[in-house]
Amino acid sequence: MPATLLVLGEVADGHLTKLSAEIAALARGLAASAGGQALGLVVDRAPDAAAGELAAHLPRVVSVALGPAADEAWAPHAAAEARRLVGEGATHVLAGVTNDGRDVAGLLCGALGWGILANASGAAWDGDALVVRATVLAGKAITRSTVEAPNAIVTVSPGAAEASPLAVAGSVESRSPVGQPVVPAAAVLDRVAEAGAAVSLEEAKVVVVGGRGVGGPEGFGLVDELAGLLGGVTGASRAAVDAGWIPYARQIGQTGKVVRPTLYLSLGVSGAMQHRAGMQGSEHIVAVNRDPDAPIAEIADLFVLGDLFEVGPALAAELRARRGG
Amino acid sequence: MRILVMTKPVPDPAANAERLGPDLRLDRAASPTVVNGNDEYGLEAALQLVEAHGGEVAILTMAPASGVETMRKALAMGALRGVLVSDDALAGADIPTTIRVLAAAAAIQEWDLLLGGLDTSDGAGGAVTAGVAARLGLPLLSAAAHIEPDEAARTVRVKRLSAKGYDLLEAPMPAVVSCTQALGTPRYPSLKGIMAARTRQITTLSLADLGADLAPADRQWPSRVLAVEPPPSRAAGRTVTGDPASQAREIADYLADRRII
Ligand SMILES: Cc1cc2nc3c(=O)[nH]c(=O)nc-3n(C[C@H](O)[C@H](O)[C@H](O)COP(=O)(O)OP(=O)(O)OC[C@H]3O[C@@H](n4cnc5c(N)ncnc54)[C@H](O)[C@@H]3O)c2cc1C
Ligand SMILES: Nc1ncnc2c1ncn2[C@@H]1O[C@H](COP(=O)(O)O)[C@@H](O)[C@H]1O
């Protein structure tokens, strides 16, 4: 039986995330080479805009407006909708490597008993079996893995495929919710945004990152200033987050966000493996560090050897001068 | 308050020696083993909760028999007892099997909260804790940055990390919580704790003890690693030295050449 690949769309601020569009491209490619189908699912309080955006990438999208369940944890409801589509013939479920995507993948794995291929950075068929590439062991190796079964759940990392809209957008079918979450859904009593978290790190073209070297919360003033001058967004290493200098939402790395900006500029980041896992796909890497042996020197295009409290302000002045002149 | 924490032994990330063996499975001999980081954050949160509310913390591990050594480290932090599921038939078990086994073992323990990690530092599947919640049919409060039970109301509140900050969730207990670094730094075991851990009980269960033959008859998991290769090396670039003003000019030139500014 040819494969039917189900793409779990995620919505941020009413719109489809970039990662979801990439997963759609991956699924469409896989469907085409298997003679199968790809379809999308958007589950949200107000899914219409995002469902339309997903239909720009997929021939068919199911859109579910949550109603009162929108004030409950999302994953148990999204997993229930995905399970309904599995009942209608979906053979593979693709979700993003995000907290929500992984929750749905885990819930479906428990509920369906399907195998999981985690953190895919690419995928292809070997006969009927899906084979995915993934970076494992804190970046030390890349594996190709498979589930030798007609069904699988795949979690997909950012950058696995390039989003490309269809010539003719697909159709959107609106449905009412299943109503019965996969597990009892927790109530959401409040949603709290932390200061400065409005801009998405993952979608930024320029990311300026502060590490332990910035010395304290004040040090992020310099990082923010450079980010502002470069039209970018501030990120952080885990050491800076664990120290409480900046919220977790800013963390880049294996246990934080994965970024692939045009420019990654860091101040006082050593470049540990777990940090690299979140930034080594950046197009250009510039790092300021006073230790010539810092591991980030191994991957930086420009390794600026010096004190960030001298180089940083000098760079801010230079950027201002060029802007003015 | 009874809390069961799922703790997985993983290669110590600090040793930086993780590798796959010739069978393309994790080479357990290549690296010293520790409790997975996120599980330790969960364990610390659990210990603080019983210190505040009374009760007991136990740990649950699925691992080869050598797993007891790593479990002692968790007991030394303050967990009172351990359950180890160990069976030759589980060598190389895949994620759905791990979920089934841990759910079956958790189901025969008594607890109000079951904690697991958001993900592991070796496999990084990030699916097992949610999968166990699904098998048990219990609420999942994931990506926890703070856990606050209300014993009288039999509910638990969790601050769940979101893309922008956090969501405040509430569910009835028993419930399953997945834990993150945002719960706070785990304690170091005291000497007293290390001594006490030596005599604390670790119960070992086989698959038969769990009352189910959970392994496929042919002992072949459908999930397999087919090939492994080193990560692509990214060539090191240029080192920029000199005084800060000239370094700043060089960075700006580099950015201008690439039309970033
Ligand atoms: C399971 C696991 C998951 C992890 N996940 C992540 C993750 O997602 N993201 C992450 O970032 N880390 C992660 N880590 C932590 C990681 O291993 C490192 O500990 C962390 O990245 C170090 O942060 P840092 O580079 O800011 O600090 P350090 O390693 O302390 O480096 C600070 C750097 O600043 C430089 N410096 C200091 N002062 C100055 C100055 N005045 N001028 C110039 N340079 C200066 C120093 O030379 C040094 O190189 C994880 C670890 C584990 C075990
Ligand atoms: N073999 C195991 N023994 C005990 N707990 C486990 C095991 N495997 C996974 N877990 C739990 O599930 C969490 C997520 O693991 P994973 O989905 O493998 O990334 C871990 O942080 C543990 O709490």
Side-chain angles (χ1 to χ4, degrees):
Chain A
M1 202 184 60
T4 299
L5 298 119
L6 173 63
V7 176
L8 181 78
E10 283 190 51
V11 184
D13 299 322
H15 293 284
L16 189 73
T17 62
K18 182 176 169 212
L19 175 58
S20 297
E22 291 175 359
I23 300 172
L26 184 73
R28 219 168 77 208
L30 287 169
S33 57
Q37 299 173 41
L39 83 153
L41 171 64
V42 175
V43 180
D44 193 50
R45 182 187 301 273
D48 293 353
E53 288 157 2
L54 189 53
H57 299 276
L58 291 172
R60 190 183 150 220
V61 172
V62 172
S63 169
V64 180
L66 277 174
D71 294 322
E72 296 179 356
W74 179 80
H77 291 284
E81 300 301 332
R83 187 167 61 179
R84 167 163 65 178
L85 293 171
V86 164
E88 294 173 16
T91 56
H92 295 77
V93 179
L94 287 77
V97 179
T98 60
N99 286 348
D100 280 331
R102 286 167 137 195
D103 279 356
V104 172
L107 288 171
L108 282 176
C109 183
L112 302 171
W114 289 9
I116 289 201
L117 296 164
N119 306 318
S121 58
W125 298 105
D126 179 8
D128 290 338
L130 194 57
V131 178
V132 312
R133 265 172 65 89
T135 303
V136 299
L137 303 179
K140 287 198 188 58
I142 293 178
T143 53
R144 285 194 306 116
S145 310
T146 192
V147 174
E148 279 171 5
N151 304 112
I153 299 160
V154 186
T155 60
V156 184
S157 298
E162 197 150 330
S164 64
L166 292 160
V168 180
S171 62
V172 176
E173 178 196 341
S174 295
R175 290 194 184 180
S176 38
V178 173
Q180 187 73 43
V182 163
V183 293
V188 180
L189 305 181
D190 198 4
R191 295 183 203 270
V192 179
E194 251 145 6
V199 216
S200 162
L201 255 181
E202 291 103 319
E203 314 208 350
K205 293 257 183 296
V206 173
V207 175
V208 184
V209 179
R212 201 199 305 268
V214 307
E218 326 74 44
F220 273 93
L222 179 59
V223 181
D224 287 339
E225 183 187 3
L226 289 170
L229 285 165
L230 290 164
V233 175
T234 297
S237 73
R238 174 158 172 179
V241 171
D242 280 346
W245 302 343
I246 185 160
Y248 170 81
R250 300 274 143 182
Q251 181 170 317
I252 291 170
Q254 183 185 321
T255 42
K257 291 183 172 151
V258 176
V259 299
R260 305 171 64 86
T262 311
L263 172 66
Y264 166 99
L265 168 64
S266 70
L267 304 178
V269 172
S270 61
M273 270 290 185
Q274 293 89 357
H275 184 75
R276 288 192 203 185
M279 49 66 72
Q280 60 198 359
S282 306
E283 198 176 334
H284 303 290
I285 298 176
V286 179
V288 182
N289 197 305
R290 66 179 177 200
D291 173 9
D293 297 323
I296 197 137
E298 294 160 19
I299 59 165
D301 300 300
L302 275 194
F303 180 70
V304 185
L305 184 61
D307 189 324
L308 71 92
F309 294 108
E310 293 176 5
V311 179
L315 179 59
E318 181 69 26
L319 292 172
R320 271 206 194 86
R322 293 200 186 199
R323 210 186 237 184
Chain B
M1 200 69 230
R2 290 156 308 174
I3 306 178
L4 181 64
V5 186
M6 298 189 287
T7 50
K8 184 184 178 190
V10 297
D12 184 356
N16 209 21
E18 307 97 327
R19 64 158 195 238
L20 298 181
D23 59 356
L24 300 182
R25 287 180 185 165
L26 188 65
D27 182 349
R28 288 176 196 269
S31 172
T33 304
V34 294
V35 176
N36 177 50
N38 283 333
D39 308 353
E40 243 181 31
Y41 298 115
L43 180 55
E44 176 62 37
L47 293 169
Q48 289 183 19
L49 286 173
V50 301
E51 280 158 13
H53 300 264
E56 96 161 24
V57 177
I59 58 170
L60 169 61
T61 297
M62 176 184 118
S66 61
V68 290
E69 288 162 36
T70 316
M71 292 174 81
R72 296 264 172 230
K73 296 178 188 169
L75 297 178
M77 279 174 66
L80 283 186
R81 60 187 181 87
V83 176
L84 172 65
V85 184
S86 196
D87 198 308
D88 289 344
L90 288 170
D94 62 3
I95 295 172
T97 305
T98 304
I99 289 170
R100 270 151 59 206
V101 170
L102 289 173
I108 55 173
Q109 313 294 318
E110 287 186 8
W111 41 269
D112 305 294
L113 288 175
L114 176 65
L115 309 190
L118 178 69
D119 64 7
T120 39
S121 57
D122 59 346
V128 168
T129 306
V132 169
R135 291 286 295 183
L136 297 174
L138 290 177
L140 169 70
L141 301 112
S142 68
H146 185 76
I147 307 170
E148 185 132 341
D150 180 337
E151 279 197 279
R154 296 290 301 152
T155 57
V156 57
R157 285 187 180 189
V158 159
K159 279 187 184 174
R160 174 184 194 256
L161 294 173
S162 72
K164 293 187 175 173
Y166 65 87
D167 296 342
L168 183 61
L169 306 184
E170 186 182 84
M173 294 196 285
V176 179
V177 180
S178 77
C179 298
T180 71
Q181 68 181 77
L183 287 164
T185 314
R187 66 194 65 190
Y188 284 106
S190 63
L191 199 58
K192 202 168 139 240
I194 295 169
M195 299 301 283
R198 292 194 187 149
T199 53
R200 288 196 178 139
Q201 194 195 346
I202 295 179
T203 312
T204 302
L205 301 176
S206 66
L207 284 179
D209 295 329
L210 293 177
D213 183 13
L214 295 156
D218 61 359
R219 307 287 188 240
Q220 267 292 317
W221 313 107
S223 306
R224 288 197 291 123
V225 176
L226 302 173
V228 61
E229 61 187 80
S233 56
R234 198 182 158 121
R238 183 150 54 88
T239 298
V240 182
T241 51
D243 64 286
S246 71
Q247 288 178 311
R249 277 196 301 279
E250 206 167 328
I251 301 172
D253 287 344
Y254 176 89
L255 300 181
D257 288 348
R258 284 155 189 83
R259 299 182 179 283
I260 295 168
I261 55 169

